Amino acid sequence: MIQLDARDKAILLELQQESRLSYAEMGSRVGLSPAAVHDRVKKLERKGVIRAYKIQVDPEALGLKLTAFVAIRLDNNFTGREIQPGLEQFHQIEEVHSIAGENDLLLKVRTSDTKALEALIYRIKAVPGIARITSTIVLSTALEGRPLVPGESDESIELR
């Protein structure tokens, strides 16, 4: 784990919330000069803490009104890495996670409607190595894409 001081953590939180901030604006928010912010951001990029800068697009604005999670159980002779190339062909798949439990992979997919989801599922089923698929349709999303809080351990989170 990379050691981050309070200012590095503040910079990371600010960038996650608004990555287009100028170094001057960021500096005023975290109490540093623009040059000091620039140096810290470049250091965080070199160390791999900051991997990329991205935009967040509204899926509904693109006609992708349906979000679903698709759980995949693999044939015993296959691994997630072996079928990954087969999944990469589907632009509707937003995320692929290797998971523990009854299933092996969990996909987050976005489609226009249930008919498009059904068609996608049938196409995914044709990928060699997939034994079973189950899906769950998302009704609403309360939290998504939240900023990561640097250095916060599980012990400091209180669940109620």
mmCIF file of all heavy atoms in Angstrom, residues 8-25:
data_model
loop_
_atom_site.group_PDB
_atom_site.id
_atom_site.type_symbol
_atom_site.label_atom_id
_atom_site.label_comp_id
_atom_site.label_asym_id
_atom_site.label_seq_id
_atom_site.Cartn_x
_atom_site.Cartn_y
_atom_site.Cartn_z
ATOM 1 N N ASP A 8 -2.571 14.585 0.066
ATOM 2 C CA ASP A 8 -2.736 13.652 -1.054
ATOM 3 C C ASP A 8 -4.156 13.092 -1.071
ATOM 4 O O ASP A 8 -4.801 13.012 -2.120
ATOM 5 C CB ASP A 8 -1.748 12.479 -0.953
ATOM 6 C CG ASP A 8 -0.311 12.864 -1.253
ATOM 7 O OD1 ASP A 8 -0.092 13.847 -1.974
ATOM 8 O OD2 ASP A 8 0.592 12.166 -0.746
ATOM 9 N N LYS A 9 -4.640 12.715 0.097
ATOM 10 C CA LYS A 9 -5.995 12.162 0.200
ATOM 11 C C LYS A 9 -7.036 13.198 -0.211
ATOM 12 O O LYS A 9 -7.993 12.885 -0.928
ATOM 13 C CB LYS A 9 -6.268 11.675 1.620
ATOM 14 C CG LYS A 9 -5.433 10.463 2.003
ATOM 15 C CD LYS A 9 -5.649 10.075 3.455
ATOM 16 C CE LYS A 9 -4.758 8.922 3.851
ATOM 17 N NZ LYS A 9 -4.946 8.535 5.253
ATOM 18 N N ALA A 10 -6.837 14.453 0.210
ATOM 19 C CA ALA A 10 -7.769 15.524 -0.156
ATOM 20 C C ALA A 10 -7.763 15.744 -1.663
ATOM 21 O O ALA A 10 -8.815 15.927 -2.285
ATOM 22 C CB ALA A 10 -7.412 16.808 0.582
ATOM 23 N N ILE A 11 -6.583 15.712 -2.272
ATOM 24 C CA ILE A 11 -6.471 15.875 -3.731
ATOM 25 C C ILE A 11 -7.216 14.746 -4.435
ATOM 26 O O ILE A 11 -7.967 14.977 -5.389
ATOM 27 C CB ILE A 11 -4.992 15.928 -4.154
ATOM 28 C CG1 ILE A 11 -4.366 17.263 -3.717
ATOM 29 C CG2 ILE A 11 -4.840 15.728 -5.656
ATOM 30 C CD1 ILE A 11 -2.853 17.315 -3.858
ATOM 31 N N LEU A 12 -7.016 13.511 -3.974
ATOM 32 C CA LEU A 12 -7.696 12.373 -4.601
ATOM 33 C C LEU A 12 -9.213 12.487 -4.500
ATOM 34 O O LEU A 12 -9.929 12.199 -5.466
ATOM 35 C CB LEU A 12 -7.222 11.063 -3.981
ATOM 36 C CG LEU A 12 -5.799 10.650 -4.343
ATOM 37 C CD1 LEU A 12 -5.372 9.444 -3.523
ATOM 38 C CD2 LEU A 12 -5.688 10.360 -5.831
ATOM 39 N N LEU A 13 -9.716 12.905 -3.356
ATOM 40 C CA LEU A 13 -11.162 13.072 -3.210
ATOM 41 C C LEU A 13 -11.678 14.154 -4.149
ATOM 42 O O LEU A 13 -12.711 13.983 -4.805
ATOM 43 C CB LEU A 13 -11.521 13.390 -1.762
ATOM 44 C CG LEU A 13 -11.453 12.201 -0.809
ATOM 45 C CD1 LEU A 13 -11.640 12.663 0.640
ATOM 46 C CD2 LEU A 13 -12.505 11.175 -1.156
ATOM 47 N N GLU A 14 -10.975 15.268 -4.220
ATOM 48 C CA GLU A 14 -11.397 16.361 -5.109
ATOM 49 C C GLU A 14 -11.392 15.912 -6.569
ATOM 50 O O GLU A 14 -12.338 16.189 -7.310
ATOM 51 C CB GLU A 14 -10.501 17.596 -4.926
ATOM 52 C CG GLU A 14 -10.636 18.274 -3.590
ATOM 53 C CD GLU A 14 -11.976 18.952 -3.370
ATOM 54 O OE1 GLU A 14 -12.684 19.270 -4.342
ATOM 55 O OE2 GLU A 14 -12.332 19.167 -2.195
ATOM 56 N N LEU A 15 -10.334 15.225 -6.992
ATOM 57 C CA LEU A 15 -10.248 14.777 -8.381
ATOM 58 C C LEU A 15 -11.335 13.768 -8.724
ATOM 59 O O LEU A 15 -11.846 13.761 -9.843
ATOM 60 C CB LEU A 15 -8.873 14.173 -8.665
ATOM 61 C CG LEU A 15 -7.735 15.157 -8.878
ATOM 62 C CD1 LEU A 15 -6.407 14.413 -8.983
ATOM 63 C CD2 LEU A 15 -7.977 16.010 -10.108
ATOM 64 N N GLN A 16 -11.682 12.905 -7.781
ATOM 65 C CA GLN A 16 -12.738 11.931 -8.048
ATOM 66 C C GLN A 16 -14.090 12.604 -8.210
ATOM 67 O O GLN A 16 -14.953 12.127 -8.946
ATOM 68 C CB GLN A 16 -12.817 10.898 -6.922
ATOM 69 C CG GLN A 16 -11.659 9.922 -6.930
ATOM 70 C CD GLN A 16 -11.804 8.919 -5.815
ATOM 71 O OE1 GLN A 16 -12.467 7.901 -5.990
ATOM 72 N NE2 GLN A 16 -11.198 9.204 -4.679
ATOM 73 N N GLN A 17 -14.285 13.717 -7.527
ATOM 74 C CA GLN A 17 -15.558 14.417 -7.617
ATOM 75 C C GLN A 17 -15.613 15.344 -8.825
ATOM 76 O O GLN A 17 -16.680 15.553 -9.393
ATOM 77 C CB GLN A 17 -15.816 15.192 -6.327
ATOM 78 C CG GLN A 17 -16.049 14.264 -5.158
ATOM 79 C CD GLN A 17 -16.065 14.976 -3.823
ATOM 80 O OE1 GLN A 17 -15.920 16.182 -3.738
ATOM 81 N NE2 GLN A 17 -16.231 14.216 -2.755
ATOM 82 N N GLU A 18 -14.453 15.887 -9.211
ATOM 83 C CA GLU A 18 -14.412 16.809 -10.355
ATOM 84 C C GLU A 18 -13.008 16.811 -10.937
ATOM 85 O O GLU A 18 -12.150 17.601 -10.540
ATOM 86 C CB GLU A 18 -14.810 18.222 -9.916
ATOM 87 C CG GLU A 18 -15.052 19.154 -11.054
ATOM 88 C CD GLU A 18 -15.542 20.525 -10.617
ATOM 89 O OE1 GLU A 18 -15.971 20.673 -9.462
ATOM 90 O OE2 GLU A 18 -15.478 21.430 -11.443
ATOM 91 N N SER A 19 -12.770 15.934 -11.895
ATOM 92 C CA SER A 19 -11.413 15.745 -12.419
ATOM 93 C C SER A 19 -10.933 16.886 -13.308
ATOM 94 O O SER A 19 -9.764 16.942 -13.643
ATOM 95 C CB SER A 19 -11.321 14.425 -13.191
ATOM 96 O OG SER A 19 -12.156 14.446 -14.316
ATOM 97 N N ARG A 20 -11.799 17.814 -13.646
ATOM 98 C CA ARG A 20 -11.406 18.929 -14.508
ATOM 99 C C ARG A 20 -11.009 20.177 -13.733
ATOM 100 O O ARG A 20 -10.839 21.235 -14.312
ATOM 101 C CB ARG A 20 -12.542 19.251 -15.472
ATOM 102 C CG ARG A 20 -12.781 18.098 -16.454
ATOM 103 C CD ARG A 20 -13.840 18.420 -17.448
ATOM 104 N NE ARG A 20 -13.422 19.556 -18.255
ATOM 105 C CZ ARG A 20 -14.111 20.052 -19.255
ATOM 106 N NH1 ARG A 20 -15.256 19.513 -19.575
ATOM 107 N NH2 ARG A 20 -13.688 21.078 -19.925
ATOM 108 N N LEU A 21 -10.831 20.055 -12.428
ATOM 109 C CA LEU A 21 -10.418 21.206 -11.625
ATOM 110 C C LEU A 21 -9.042 21.685 -12.066
ATOM 111 O O LEU A 21 -8.158 20.883 -12.347
ATOM 112 C CB LEU A 21 -10.325 20.829 -10.140
ATOM 113 C CG LEU A 21 -11.611 20.702 -9.349
ATOM 114 C CD1 LEU A 21 -11.295 20.250 -7.921
ATOM 115 C CD2 LEU A 21 -12.356 22.015 -9.312
ATOM 116 N N SER A 22 -8.857 22.991 -12.092
ATOM 117 C CA SER A 22 -7.526 23.535 -12.365
ATOM 118 C C SER A 22 -6.666 23.324 -11.127
ATOM 119 O O SER A 22 -7.175 23.143 -10.011
ATOM 120 C CB SER A 22 -7.619 25.024 -12.688
ATOM 121 O OG SER A 22 -7.997 25.751 -11.529
ATOM 122 N N TYR A 23 -5.363 23.367 -11.319
ATOM 123 C CA TYR A 23 -4.461 23.231 -10.173
ATOM 124 C C TYR A 23 -4.668 24.395 -9.202
ATOM 125 O O TYR A 23 -4.543 24.217 -7.993
ATOM 126 C CB TYR A 23 -3.008 23.158 -10.624
ATOM 127 C CG TYR A 23 -2.681 21.871 -11.356
ATOM 128 C CD1 TYR A 23 -2.023 21.894 -12.582
ATOM 129 C CD2 TYR A 23 -3.026 20.632 -10.832
ATOM 130 C CE1 TYR A 23 -1.723 20.721 -13.253
ATOM 131 C CE2 TYR A 23 -2.737 19.455 -11.502
ATOM 132 C CZ TYR A 23 -2.079 19.502 -12.712
ATOM 133 O OH TYR A 23 -1.789 18.342 -13.373
ATOM 134 N N ALA A 24 -5.002 25.576 -9.713
ATOM 135 C CA ALA A 24 -5.244 26.725 -8.839
ATOM 136 C C ALA A 24 -6.479 26.498 -7.966
ATOM 137 O O ALA A 24 -6.451 26.735 -6.752
ATOM 138 C CB ALA A 24 -5.408 28.000 -9.678
ATOM 139 N N GLU A 25 -7.573 26.039 -8.574
ATOM 140 C CA GLU A 25 -8.798 25.771 -7.806
ATOM 141 C C GLU A 25 -8.561 24.646 -6.802
ATOM 142 O O GLU A 25 -9.000 24.721 -5.655
ATOM 143 C CB GLU A 25 -9.956 25.427 -8.747
ATOM 144 C CG GLU A 25 -11.248 25.061 -8.041
ATOM 145 C CD GLU A 25 -11.829 26.185 -7.181
ATOM 146 O OE1 GLU A 25 -11.603 27.370 -7.491
ATOM 147 O OE2 GLU A 25 -12.510 25.863 -6.186
#
